[in-house]
Every structure is written in structure tokens, then in C-alpha cells.
Amino acid sequence: MTRPRVIALVFGGRHFGLGKPAQPGDDETEAQRAALLAVAEAQRQALYRVLDDLRPHLVVQGGASGADGLAGAWAWENKVAGWTLDAPWAVLGRAAGPARNETMLRAVLHLAAQCSRRGVVVELVAVQCPGDRGTADMRERVERAGVRVVEVVP
């Protein structure tokens, strides 16, 4: 039996893998900054391990910094097709994130259905990195759609 073609839909926090964003007035010590960088590197490695294990044929992400950017970097470094669906912030304002999430999910579900109609076996996997409201929104959407979720745990 041939291995299914894997589509990885990656989502998660915009600070994932970047360390805590600096705030005005922060006066971090060198040791604190080194600790933050070590956490960021552990997060990056955890996401890369999940993607290495999945061996996706396509990585879909939402164009934000953090988890999305790392997923795009992994795809580029591994010569895997990548698809970025940016949120239209200038057009929709705060509604852009949920609209982008819905568009990404519908797009990958449609792609998987088209592949299936052509006899290509596809496995759609949602890869969730830790995040906040937008991550929770996407998690709810993929679960409702019945998509398997793999959580990245640094």
C-alpha cells in the first residue's frame, strides 16, 4: 500500500519559537535573554520534529510570525511545497484572523477532496503549536471538521 500524501495545516501562536517579545521598558539581563532563546529553540525543534515525523507533501500556514513562519521555513529547508494564506487585516480588521482560519480549512478540505476524486490518497493533519485566541479558534474549526490534530509540545 502506498503512503498517503500528507497535507499539514500548521497553526499556533505568533510568538511560538521566537521567545517572549520585548516590551517597552524591558531591561532583560543577558541570562534572561539566553533562557528565552533556549525556550524558543526548543519550540522550533519540537515543531521540526513533528513535521519530520509526518513527512508532509504540502505545508499550509497562515503567514504570521511564530508557528506559521517556522512551518514555512521548515518547508523551504526540506524542499516541500508550502502554501501561505495571509489574513486580510487591512480589509477585515479583527475579523481577518477567523476569516483566514476558515479559508485555510476550507481550502485544504477542498484540495483533499479533489485529490481523492483523482484516486490520490491524502491524509490531512492539523499541527497545533501553543497559542492564544486564534489558535483556539482554529483548533475548534479543525475538530468540527474531523481533522486529526497533532499537538506540538516543546
Side-chain angles (χ1 to χ4, degrees), residues 71-141:
W74 181 91
W76 186 81
E77 291 168 15
N78 289 277
K79 297 175 179 48
V80 170
W83 189 8
T84 302
L85 286 99
D86 292 303
W89 298 108
V91 176
L92 297 176
R94 292 176 59 119
R100 184 256 333 269
N101 288 350
E102 183 65 22
T103 300
M104 283 188 351
L105 179 57
R106 286 181 186 222
V108 296
L109 290 171
H110 179 75
L111 178 60
Q114 291 298 314
C115 289
S116 180
R117 284 189 194 97
R118 289 165 175 75
V120 178
V121 178
V122 171
E123 179 185 10
L124 178 56
V125 180
V127 178
Q128 178 187 345
C129 299
D132 295 318
R133 284 186 321 235
T135 303
D137 173 73
M138 191 62 172
R139 173 68 182 245
E140 184 178 314
R141 291 173 192 275

Side-chain angles (χ1 to χ4, degrees), residues 10 47-48 51 59 61 66-77 80 82 84:
V10 180
L47 175 58
Y48 275 39
L51 292 171
V59 174
Q61 45 84 14
D68 294 355
L70 288 173
W74 181 91
W76 186 81
E77 291 168 15
V80 170
T84 302

Side-chain angles (χ1 to χ4, degrees), residues 29-75:
T29 66
E30 223 172 286
Q32 288 170 321
R33 186 69 191 141
L36 289 172
L37 291 174
V39 168
E41 178 59 17
Q43 291 173 335
R44 184 195 67 78
Q45 287 178 8
L47 175 58
Y48 275 39
R49 260 192 314 276
V50 167
L51 292 171
D52 287 342
D53 289 346
L54 288 174
R55 297 183 330 189
H57 294 80
L58 173 64
V59 174
V60 181
Q61 45 84 14
S65 59
D68 294 355
L70 288 173
W74 181 91

